[in-house]
Structures are given as C-alpha cells and as structure tokens.
Amino acid sequence: MSRALMAAALIAAALPAAAQEVRFPQLNAEIDMSMIGVGTTRASDPSRRGASVFLFGEVAMGLSLSETLSIQGVLVTEPIGEGDSTGGFPDGGVIGFRRQALFFEQLHVQWKPDQALSLQAGIFVAPFGRGYHDFPGILANVRAHEVYLVDQSLGIAGTWTWLDDPRFGTHDVSAAVFTLDRTVLTGTYLTPRRCCNERYERYNRNTLAQGGPGNNGTFNNFAVALDGDRMPFLPGFSYHLAVISQAPGSDGTAREWGYAAGLRYEHRWNAAQSTLIFAEGVQFRNAGGRPRVEVETLSTDPDTGEDVTGTAETTLSERLTFTTLGLQHRIGRWRGTVAWQQLRQKRSLDPVPAQDWFEGSVGRELGSGFSLDVGYQYALYVDDETGQRGTSHAILARLRFAGGL
C-alpha cells in the first residue's frame, strides 16, 4: 500500500473518533419568549377595558456534566397579578409589564442511564396535561397554564420509553412523587409585593400557611402520564393521558384528584399545507383540597325575635372542568388558528356560571426565530362583583421568539 493510501486510511479511521469526542461540562440554553398585548375594547366590567402588555415565556438552561448527567433549570417570566396574564384590569388605561415577575419553575438534576430512561430529582413540573405547552394561538396555552399547571414540585420524577417500534409507534410513561417546594428558590425576583395591593397571586416563597393541594411537606403526592405518537396506523396522531393526586394542605380536608386527556392530529395536504386539530379535557375532583371556609349564618333570637347574623365553618366542595378544542391551518409561513375554551366550576357554595373564551388569530413566521400573531377574542366571564356572567371583546397580538442562545 502506498504512503498516500495508508495516510488516507489512518485519517478515515480517526474521523469517527474525533466526531464523537465531546468535552464536558457543556452549557446550553433555549429561549421561548412572547410579548403579548390584550386590548379590551368592550366589557361588562369597566375595569377590564383598556390595554395590557406583558412578557410570558421561559429560558431553559442545561449544564451537561457528562453524557448521562446534567443540571436542568427553567427560569420563567410572567405577570403575577390576578388575571394579569390574560389582560388584567387596566381600568380604561394602558398598562405595561405590571407585576411582571421572574422565578425558577424548574431546577433539577437529570440522569439518563440509557436512551429509553430519564430520571430527575429536584424542582420540576409534574407530568399532567400538555396544553399549557402545546396549544397554538395567542392566549390558549396561557389560560391552560393558569388553570392547571402544577409547577415548583419538589421530588423525584422519571420518563421511560416503554415501546419504540416502527410497527406500533413511540410510547412513554412518566411518573413523579413530589410535594410543593417551599425553599427560598420559590420566591419571585424583580417584583416584590407592594403595600395594600390585594391582586398579587404570589410574590414571595411558598409557605405552609398558604395551604393548597400538595403543600403538605410530605412526598405523598403523585402524577402518572402516558404519551404516544409516530404510530404508522394513525399517522399524524398523538395522545396524552394523565392522573394526579395531591394531599390537602393546611386549609384542606380531602385529597384532590385530577384527570387529563388530550389529543393532536395533524394532516398534511402537501409539502406546504397542513391542518392541526387539538383537544384536551382536564378535570379536578375536590379541587383545592376541599378547603375549610367560613359562611354567614342567620338565626332568630328566641327572646327578642330579632335576626342574628353569625359565622360558621364548613367545607367547599368543587369539581373543576377545563375543556379546549381548536384547529390550526398552515400554508407555508402563514397560519390561522381558532380555539374554544371553557371553565366550569361546580361548587357546593357560591355557585358560579361557566366561563367561555372564543379566539381566532392569523400568524406568520418572520424568520430568525421570530413569529407574529394577531387576533380577536370574545369572552363570557364571571364578574367579580356580581357573580354573574359578563362579556368582553378584545384585540390580541403576540410577538414570539424561540431559539437557542
């Protein structure tokens, strides 16, 4: 063999080894950030009229220590006032980034002993529901995020691909055992609570006193989910099934149970056009852990015959159901999306009517990771003052960036 041929053979043998050489540690980051605007032109409640602009998204970071071991973190920004992430209460004016906060949603160690198994320990999002991450459009995923996302869960979790076969598709099972994280990492950054403002939903680290399902300091809360896709007999179809159970907190009296079922079906008409149908149903039994509440009582004084008011303690039993149905059609860089969402709360006390949201939008990929959607929303909501249904009309816009850093 000539020297040239021997050199070529040595180089060819060395190339695979060089290509596979990876140096650790490695730091990677992905950003998915949206600036959302909600302009409410008409509403039964005057405080809802006006315009609101806010940021909603996350920065996901991963520090790989080896091929199998890494530290994963997700830093989230969103408004933390009551209703702020879906338009808030601008009171006829324009509000920008009001009560915008920054906090850790996830921070955990991840170990992947093989391609089929991934294990996590630390703070994570419980595997329950997919709409808060997957729904297209402008506010559909934001609203799902507000209704049922179970984040800042402290414990252990794992995902196992139990079936990956060209004949039957890919199917994963995920499970988690957790409690609500109450460490200093749960606090918000940039936005401390201001005096006397009651609309803050959260502003400080989680505490035992705030109550709520899963906030019991014990690892007896769990979630199990089953996901599947790439099935040749159902091309374009994927599914999600999940159950979650959380023990009552300091204010609760019963274990909360949640159930989720979702599906997505994408039909490709040709290389440029596709249609996506998405649907999801989520229900919580004993929503909130059947908390203790005080109610007013009315009795009659036996001596004077006068009415006497007082208070008594009872429990609030609630069944919460959140439903989403939508469709998106894409033509090249353009897309059109319509979605309907409904929140039903069947309560033993202070009954409230169902709330509905109808959204339609048109969007386009702008390039370099940016996209823009504009749309319209009609809402039937519960008025805080009267407890009756009100209506609103809003113009929506969402400028999004998704890509690596």
Side-chain angles (χ1 to χ4, degrees):
M1 182 182 293
S2 67
R3 291 182 179 180
L5 289 176
M6 290 182 64
L10 289 173
I11 292 172
L15 280 176
Q20 293 174 5
E21 183 180 354
V22 179
R23 294 187 178 183
F24 296 97
Q26 281 190 345
L27 180 63
N28 299 292
E30 295 283 335
I31 184 170
D32 187 348
M33 190 67 60
S34 296
M35 184 168 66
I36 300 176
V38 180
T40 303
T41 57
R42 286 189 292 165
S44 303
D45 180 0
S47 67
R48 295 175 182 261
R49 301 172 194 163
S52 173
V53 179
F54 56 91
L55 293 177
F56 188 91
E58 65 183 33
V59 178
M61 301 159 286
L63 178 62
S64 298
L65 304 176
S66 70
E67 291 185 353
T68 60
L69 186 65
S70 64
I71 300 174
Q72 304 290 326
V74 178
L75 196 60
V76 167
T77 182
E78 63 181 58
I80 56 172
E82 179 187 346
D84 280 349
S85 62
T86 51
F89 301 86
D91 290 321
V94 178
I95 54 176
F97 312 106
R98 183 175 67 179
R99 293 189 281 265
Q100 192 78 43
L102 189 70
F103 58 94
F104 275 104
E105 185 180 76
Q106 302 187 56
L107 186 61
H108 58 263
V109 176
Q110 179 170 280
W111 179 45
K112 298 190 69 172
D114 56 52
Q115 291 297 317
L117 181 63
S118 175
L119 302 173
Q120 299 89 36
I123 307 168
F124 49 80
V125 172
F128 181 77
R130 291 290 301 172
Y132 61 85
H133 186 271
D134 289 347
F135 287 157
I138 299 178
L139 288 181
N141 71 321
V142 178
R143 193 166 288 109
H145 179 283
E146 292 297 300
V147 172
Y148 67 81
L149 177 72
V150 183
D151 63 349
Q152 295 191 328
S153 301
L154 176 65
I156 57 174
T159 299
W160 173 44
T161 303
W162 62 276
L163 180 61
D164 188 3
D165 191 296
R167 298 169 298 173
F168 305 109
T170 302
H171 303 266
D172 304 322
V173 61
S174 303
V177 177
F178 61 93
T179 187
L180 180 69
D181 182 28
R182 296 202 297 254
T183 68
V184 68
L185 291 174
T186 63
T188 60
Y189 309 102
L190 303 179
T191 306
R193 187 183 188 189
R194 298 172 186 171
C195 171
C196 314
N197 191 322
E198 299 301 325
R199 288 203 182 275
Y200 274 85
E201 291 183 329
R202 51 163 300 175
Y203 66 95
N204 207 344
R205 61 187 292 180
N206 295 324
T207 64
L208 176 65
Q210 76 190 41
N215 185 13
N216 62 342
T218 305
F219 296 95
N220 62 350
N221 311 285
F222 67 87
V224 180
L226 181 64
D227 295 87
D229 60 3
R230 301 177 184 176
M231 293 167 281
F233 48 89
L234 289 173
F237 178 84
S238 64
Y239 68 88
H240 171 83
L241 301 170
V243 61
I244 190 169
S245 179
Q246 299 186 84
S250 59
D251 61 337
T253 61
R255 178 171 285 269
E256 178 188 79
W257 287 85
Y259 309 92
L263 62 85
R264 290 166 62 91
Y265 171 67
E266 183 176 28
H267 179 79
R268 292 197 168 274
W269 303 95
N270 51 48
Q273 294 194 55
S274 64
T275 300
L276 171 69
I277 299 173
F278 56 95
E280 185 179 67
V282 173
Q283 185 174 94
F284 289 98
R285 304 286 184 97
N286 292 327
R290 196 181 291 172
R292 302 178 187 89
V293 294
E294 285 192 349
V295 295
E296 286 190 358
T297 60
L298 182 63
S299 60
T300 303
D301 189 311
D303 297 326
T304 64
E306 295 181 353
D307 291 336
V308 179
T309 59
T311 61
E313 186 179 273
T314 185
T315 59
L316 173 62
S317 178
E318 180 176 345
R319 180 186 301 176
L320 184 151
T321 305
F322 184 68
T323 308
T324 302
L325 181 62
L327 179 146
Q328 182 181 78
H329 185 73
R330 304 180 72 99
I331 304 176
R333 291 190 172 188
W334 290 89
R335 57 178 175 258
T337 308
V338 292
W340 164 73
Q341 293 180 301
Q342 183 183 79
L343 176 64
R344 284 188 173 274
Q345 297 167 271
K346 187 176 180 180
R347 309 172 67 179
S348 58
L349 299 170
D350 299 325
V352 295
Q355 301 182 75
D356 294 84
W357 297 270
F358 303 87
E359 178 185 315
S361 64
V362 176
R364 189 181 191 275
E365 300 292 336
L366 304 178
S368 301
F370 287 92
S371 63
L372 177 66
D373 293 85
V374 294
Y376 163 79
Q377 175 184 265
Y378 173 67
L380 295 166
Y381 63 88
V382 176
D383 189 285
D384 293 336
E385 298 295 330
T386 66
Q388 303 300 314
R389 289 220 295 186
T391 62
S392 70
H393 303 261
I395 303 300
L396 311 177
R398 182 169 187 162
L399 178 63
R400 181 182 182 185
F401 172 79
L405 291 177

